[in-house]
Amino acid sequence: MLSERRLQVLRAIVQDYVGTEEPVGSKALTERHSLGVSPATVRNDMAALEDEGYIAQPHTSAGRIPTDKGYRLFVDKLAEVKPLTAPERRAIQNFLDGAVDLDDVVTRTVRLLAQLTRQVAVVQYPSLTRSTVRHVELLSLAPARVMLVLITDTGRVEQRMVDCPAPFGESSLADLRARLNSRVAGRRFTDVPQLVQDLPEAFEAEDRGTVQTVLSTLLETLVEETEERLVIGGTANLTRFAHDFPLTIRPVLEALEEQVVLLKLLGEAKDSGMTVRIGHENAHEGLNSTSVVSVGYGSGGEAVAKLGVVGPTRMDYPGTMGAVRAVARYVGQILAES
Amino acid sequence: MLSERRLQVLRAIVQDYVGTEEPVGSKALTERHSLGVSPATVRNDMAALEDEGYIAQPHTSAGRIPTDKGYRLFVDKLAEVKPLTAPERRAIQNFLDGAVDLDDVVTRTVRLLAQLTRQVAVVQYPSLTRSTVRHVELLSLAPARVMLVLITDTGRVEQRMVDCPAPFGESSLADLRARLNSRVAGRRFTDVPQLVQDLPEAFEAEDRGTVQTVLSTLLETLVEETEERLVIGGTANLTRFAHDFPLTIRPVLEALEEQVVLLKLLGEAKDSGMTVRIGHENAHEGLNSTSVVSVGYGSGGEAVAKLGVVGPTRMDYPGTMGAVRAVARYVGQILAES
DNA sequence: CCCTGGCACTCGACGCCCCCGAGTGCCAGC
DNA sequence: GCTGGCACTCGGGGGCGTCGAGTGCCAGGG
């Protein structure tokens, strides 16, 4: 177990390194922090911290920098989430209050978060798994061609073309439309598959193939509709922390373009409370030199989606966590109001 | 007026510089190209080209690099658009054929273009203004509440709620739906106002108010909801040509995050044919060191939106233009089919 | 008139060396 | 267990010389 003072030393190292972006030495430490001991003592502590793997030397005769493990300890034990200042909060509220619809809320949030943290922001759209079907419309465009339109209770509309295996009469179409809606209107997406399962049986043999095709297209659409979407912003901030150029930022840019990667990233985070994943804790290796701070947000008590930022492991954790938490709260409020 | 040989020299300089990314000198030029003259002669030509502003020296005693003006001449007079190879075309077709809906087409297109050109790709969603109406659907959600769904020929769907001034029967609704579609289906958005002008007259007095309300909502949708959307991809490719400075890529990343900037960028391009904007020809100063190659695409003969790539002025223009043109063509085909 | 080879000159890139100083580990003493 | 002292390490930066690609100019030849 590390002594109290050694923890202080670690905290001081993290703070200084985050501030200066340069390895920090024993002398500089004692000058900038009132630890009450001499550099020599600090050196001993540093040696101990290095033995435990919390800090490392980039090369002999250089100062120390925190390791992922060091940041982890810092975040878990040594840092307090820094609340935003009053003007910052007002700015958030003003900015988000101007949003006109869901898209706008999400877009504004991502900009806000990127600006506030000066890092890359990621915001997931509120999940639709709890949505219900308002209406399903079928339109005949050609004898063997049907357009399927799905309308959800949140006002979203999805449309698909269906190529039928056989011509499908207008009356059969009306029949299918009526039966379909009476079963699924008002029901949750997740219940639909079961509700339409035996529908083909109600039709003549010649139409069953088409009915089946239409139904499976509908089910596909439902699945896609619930697929998680997200928006990112502030990628230009990546250039701030990349003297050691393309090497660092290229894989990050690549990872950020893969929505799948990001969704997995957010998915791995805890559903409640804030999650901080540091460096190699991130499964995706392009993100091994970055940290991800994420938190769920939602209109009620329940989180419906997540948002967060991606930045260098050498980031201001207290400040970033404060900003992320504050933004999540305000977005939740906005969603609850609308 | 420049002699034929000097144009050849300029072409050779552009080609070599694009290939090697290094200033090109007179000796190297004569070695790599069979110009039929000695380095000394080339030097004279180069001096002339420099006087005219087509090439420049980064510093004394270095080779020459093309200026924006030089690239412009190259693109206008010296380069042929390079057609894609057969395997490349097959790859494009295969990749795009797998798309299931409009979103998917756009997403795939942007990935494809980024991969093909190894640059940043930008694809605009088909704009509603130049589209035609495929179908208008009306759904009765409550006695005095109608949902209007507009489906365009490009597969885009827009939806609006209409609160009717009076209850509106199912049969009247069907009547309106039929009349409306027989008039506007297949017609351009811009023609719709005139086509529906006298429609209320065909209805009973009690329904006219509602018909009028529905129609004006439709017109609003056509006019208002022309909000242009676009998608970008391949930003990681920026790192390829910026090992020198984060300085270069930062403003580019910033510009790319501003949809407004990009829309203006594409908007400035010609409606038909390919547009190449080189360096300072781009109004936005963050993009002063990049070139933008863009072209319109559409389901029929007419362009409904644009797509293109953003890359360094030092890019392979013939290849890029070939890829952009080919992708635009195939996307057009896909849109026409669906 | 235009092309050519020759020549002197320029200047950035590269490698070398050396010094400086921050930072370290260790140790004896308080 | 903390402290000051001390010898050592090593990366960074500045100065310097060399190298070579590239240039402009010029006189001579087709």
Side-chain angles (χ1 to χ4, degrees):
Chain A
M1 189 47 207
L2 292 168
S3 75
E4 182 57 26
R5 197 190 56 227
R6 289 193 176 158
L7 292 177
Q8 297 310 322
V9 170
L10 177 58
R11 170 190 283 154
I13 291 174
V14 171
Q15 287 172 349
D16 276 21
Y17 183 59
V18 166
T20 65
E21 311 202 355
E22 269 166 18
V24 10
S26 53
K27 188 160 162 240
L29 255 201
T30 53
E31 280 166 3
R32 298 175 36 108
H33 299 85
S34 14
L35 294 168
V37 292
S38 79
T41 309
V42 171
R43 282 204 285 281
N44 289 329
D45 294 342
M46 283 170 132
L49 286 168
E50 185 163 12
D51 282 346
E52 301 287 330
Y54 294 110
I55 55 178
Q57 290 187 81
H59 50 258
T60 331
S61 99
R64 306 304 215 290
I65 63 175
T67 60
D68 289 355
K69 190 178 171 190
Y71 285 122
R72 167 55 55 205
L73 186 61
F74 176 80
V75 169
D76 288 347
K77 300 278 160 64
L78 302 174
E80 305 266 300
V81 174
K82 193 167 83 196
L84 299 195
T85 63
E88 279 173 325
R89 285 191 226 174
R90 267 200 305 280
I92 294 180
Q93 193 136 31
N94 284 339
F95 191 58
L96 290 184
D97 274 347
V100 298
D101 61 9
L102 182 62
D103 278 339
D104 201 21
V105 170
V106 172
T107 312
R108 279 167 184 255
T109 304
V110 82
R111 291 174 88 106
L112 185 64
L113 203 52
Q115 227 172 307
L116 227 45
T117 60
R118 312 218 339 148
Q119 280 163 152
V120 179
V122 182
V123 179
Q124 191 179 13
Y125 269 77
S127 154
L128 294 177
T129 43
R130 277 184 293 275
S131 304
T132 60
V133 175
R134 177 177 281 157
H135 186 86
V136 178
E137 184 58 28
L138 300 173
L139 312 171
S140 178
L141 299 180
R145 199 131 207 251
V146 169
M147 169 173 275
L148 180 148
V149 181
L150 166 72
I151 301 159
T152 76
D153 64 334
T154 51
R156 263 174 86 162
V157 181
E158 285 293 323
Q159 141 281 342
R160 286 287 184 289
M161 280 310 170
V162 186
D163 283 311
C164 312
F168 198 56
E170 193 62 57
S171 63
S172 304
L173 193 69
D175 190 19
L176 177 57
R177 182 193 297 131
R179 285 173 189 271
L180 199 51
N181 276 296
S182 73
R183 294 202 185 196
V184 303
R187 311 304 295 260
R188 288 171 159 236
F189 282 18
T190 43
D191 300 335
V192 171
Q194 199 177 343
L195 291 165
V196 301
Q197 204 173 4
D198 58 347
L199 207 48
E201 293 163 21
F203 288 80
E204 302 292 331
E206 54 178 8
D207 284 341
R208 271 185 209 154
T210 296
V211 170
Q212 196 58 62
T213 311
V214 170
L215 290 182
S216 46
T217 306
L218 173 62
L219 297 186
E220 268 172 35
T221 309
L222 290 176
V223 170
E224 265 177 47
E225 181 66 5
T226 52
E227 227 172 51
E228 322 269 7
R229 282 204 303 149
L230 46 75
V231 175
I232 75 168
T235 48
N237 289 326
L238 284 176
T239 57
R240 281 195 311 115
F241 73 98
H243 326 278
D244 35 349
F245 215 42
L247 258 121
T248 333
I249 109 169
R250 162 141 226 193
V252 179
L253 273 175
E254 275 168 359
L256 292 177
E257 282 206 355
E258 293 297 333
Q259 305 242 327
V260 190
V261 170
L262 286 176
L263 285 169
K264 219 161 71 186
L265 205 68
L266 291 179
E268 282 167 358
K270 297 192 296 280
D271 271 346
S272 65
M274 198 150 11
T275 303
V276 181
R277 309 207 124 222
I278 298 166
H280 292 80
E281 296 171 10
N282 291 302
H284 188 84
E285 66 175 313
L287 299 173
N288 277 178
S289 60
T290 64
S291 288
V292 180
V293 177
S294 59
V295 67
Y297 72 93
S299 46
E302 208 167 352
V304 294
K306 291 172 186 159
L307 58 78
V309 308
V310 179
T313 52
R314 171 224 311 141
M315 69 163 69
D316 168 20
Y317 290 95
T320 305
M321 291 166 81
V324 168
R325 195 173 66 184
V327 170
R329 259 182 212 161
Y330 283 108
V331 177
Q333 278 181 25
I334 299 283
L335 289 181
E337 285 165 17
S338 61
Chain B
M1 189 50 205
L2 292 168
S3 75
E4 182 58 26
R5 197 190 57 228
R6 290 195 174 155
L7 292 176
Q8 298 307 323
V9 170
L10 177 57
R11 170 191 282 151
I13 291 173
V14 171
Q15 286 172 350
D16 277 20
Y17 182 59
V18 166
T20 64
E21 312 204 351
E22 268 166 20
V24 10
S26 54
K27 189 161 163 239
L29 255 200
T30 53
E31 279 165 5
R32 297 175 38 109
H33 303 265
S34 14
L35 294 168
V37 293
S38 78
T41 309
V42 171
R43 281 205 285 282
N44 288 329
D45 292 344
M46 284 171 134
L49 286 168
E50 186 164 8
D51 282 346
E52 302 287 328
Y54 294 110
I55 56 179
Q57 289 187 83
H59 50 257
T60 331
S61 100
R64 306 304 216 291
I65 62 175
T67 60
D68 289 353
K69 189 178 173 191
Y71 285 122
R72 167 56 53 206
L73 185 60
F74 176 80
V75 168
D76 288 347
K77 300 278 160 62
L78 303 173
E80 306 266 299
V81 175
K82 192 167 84 196
L84 299 197
T85 63
E88 279 174 324
R89 283 189 229 176
R90 270 199 304 279
I92 294 181
Q93 194 135 31
N94 285 339
F95 191 59
L96 290 184
D97 274 348
V100 298
D101 63 7
L102 181 62
D103 279 337
D104 202 21
V105 170
V106 173
T107 313
R108 280 170 184 252
T109 303
V110 81
R111 291 174 88 106
L112 183 66
L113 202 52
Q115 229 171 309
L116 226 46
T117 60
R118 314 222 332 149
Q119 278 160 166
V120 179
V122 182
V123 178
Q124 188 181 12
Y125 270 76
S127 151
L128 290 179
T129 45
R130 263 165 283 176
S131 310
T132 60
V133 175
R134 177 178 278 157
H135 187 88
V136 177
E137 184 57 28
L138 301 172
L139 312 171
S140 178
L141 299 180
R145 198 134 206 254
V146 170
M147 172 174 270
L148 179 149
V149 180
L150 167 72
I151 300 159
T152 77
D153 62 335
T154 52
R156 215 163 133 174
V157 181
E158 287 293 327
Q159 143 279 339
R160 284 287 183 291
M161 282 308 173
V162 186
D163 284 313
C164 312
F168 199 54
E170 194 63 56
S171 63
S172 304
L173 193 69
D175 190 19
L176 177 56
R177 181 192 298 129
R179 285 173 189 270
L180 200 50
N181 277 295
S182 72
R183 296 201 183 195
V184 303
R187 311 305 293 262
R188 296 165 129 254
F189 283 18
T190 43
D191 300 335
V192 171
Q194 199 176 345
L195 291 165
V196 300
Q197 204 174 1
D198 58 348
L199 207 48
E201 293 163 20
F203 288 80
E204 302 291 332
E206 55 178 6
D207 284 341
R208 271 184 209 157
T210 296
V211 170
Q212 196 57 62
T213 310
V214 170
L215 289 182
S216 46
T217 306
L218 172 62
L219 297 186
E220 266 171 37
T221 310
L222 294 178
V223 174
E224 272 175 28
E225 267 304 315
T226 49
E227 173 202 331
E228 321 261 11
R229 281 206 302 151
L230 46 75
V231 175
I232 77 169
T235 48
N237 288 327
L238 283 177
T239 59
R240 280 194 313 115
F241 73 97
H243 29 75
D244 354 341
F245 358 42
L247 255 121
T248 329
I249 112 170
R250 162 142 228 193
V252 179
L253 274 175
E254 274 168 359
L256 292 177
E257 282 207 354
E258 294 296 333
Q259 306 243 327
V260 188
V261 171
L262 286 176
L263 285 170
K264 220 161 71 184
L265 206 66
L266 292 180
E268 283 167 359
K270 297 193 296 281
D271 272 347
S272 65
M274 198 149 13
T275 303
V276 182
R277 308 206 126 223
I278 298 167
H280 291 81
E281 295 170 10
N282 291 302
H284 189 84
E285 67 175 312
L287 299 174
N288 277 178
S289 60
T290 64
S291 288
V292 180
V293 177
S294 59
V295 68
Y297 71 92
S299 47
E302 211 163 352
V304 295
K306 291 170 188 163
L307 57 78
V309 308
V310 179
T313 51
R314 170 223 310 141
M315 69 162 71
D316 168 21
Y317 289 95
T320 304
M321 289 166 82
V324 168
R325 197 174 63 184
V327 169
R329 259 183 212 160
Y330 283 107
V331 176
Q333 277 181 26
I334 299 281
L335 289 181
E337 283 164 19
S338 60

